[in-house]
Amino acid sequence: MKILIIEDEKDLLDSMKMYLESEGYLCETANDYQKASEKVNMYQYDCVVVDITLPKGNGLQIIKELKEKKSEAGIIIVSAKNSLDDKLKGLELGSDDYLTKPFHLSELNARIKAIIRRKNFEGANELSLNEITIDLASRTVFIKKNQLTLTTKEYELLLFFISNKNKVITKNAIAEHLWGDDMDQSDSFDFIYTHIKNLRKKLIEKGCQDYIKTIYGIGYNFSTQEQS
């Protein structure tokens, strides 16, 4: 899952990034309005954590931009202002939650998980697709009740495929989802091929059907539809 953290306080920004990455999220950051605006207009995120007061602008404007581009990202406002007006403005614009500084990082993590479950998986703690079962809280995968050991990237890749099942997903979309800003440092998609090859091999070895289909020249399709 990819998170964008928009915060101008460096220590807090670094702490949130380090903690959420330790929880398995891919985190990108922005420390002012301009950088945040560029990111939300260029990339897709599962959740955006945004401070209201930012250099060069306002976090509420970021929320407006997300809604104007019809982003499906969850939005959590964090602010030192314990103001009812700010909270109401953010909720009216479309934010999903609100945290007042100071807050515990574990609480932020819990709020992010709840929003992602609600938006992507209808609030469920467990995701099931045919012989595949995923415990979203523990990030554990089972194939026919047998546990499957995956790397962090393989887990995120499987979840991304299932969330977009029966849709064609481009190689660029996969790279952006798994690596975020770091995808620009690679001049090929070899790393995608490797992760998909390893994930497919592990699934099949546990007795799972081969759902991952290559769409040559475009990307992949996690197809659960019966072939005629």
Side-chain angles (χ1 to χ4, degrees), residues 97-159:
D97 209 339
Y98 187 102
L99 276 175
T100 301
K101 300 176 186 177
F103 53 84
H104 293 290
L105 294 174
S106 57
E107 181 179 6
L108 173 62
N109 183 35
R111 303 278 186 104
I112 290 172
K113 285 182 176 179
I115 287 172
I116 290 175
R117 285 199 307 269
R118 186 166 68 247
K119 285 186 170 292
N120 293 354
F121 309 113
E122 300 180 349
N125 289 313
E126 185 176 277
L127 177 65
S128 294
L129 178 68
N130 297 341
E131 64 270 49
I132 304 171
T133 302
I134 302 176
D135 186 317
L136 297 168
S138 66
R139 299 169 65 88
T140 308
V141 180
F142 298 88
I143 306 297
K144 299 178 180 178
K145 299 185 179 181
N146 295 312
Q147 186 170 343
L148 177 65
T149 301
L150 299 176
T151 66
T152 298
K153 294 299 184 189
E154 290 165 357
Y155 174 84
E156 290 295 337
L157 181 58
L158 177 61
L159 208 58

Side-chain angles (χ1 to χ4, degrees), residues 40-62:
V40 299
N41 282 286
M42 288 178 64
Y43 304 113
Q44 297 292 328
Y45 298 94
D46 294 290
C47 188
V48 176
V49 180
V50 55
D51 191 357
I52 291 178
T53 306
L54 294 170
K56 305 179 183 179
N58 188 287
L60 295 176
Q61 184 59 38
I62 295 296

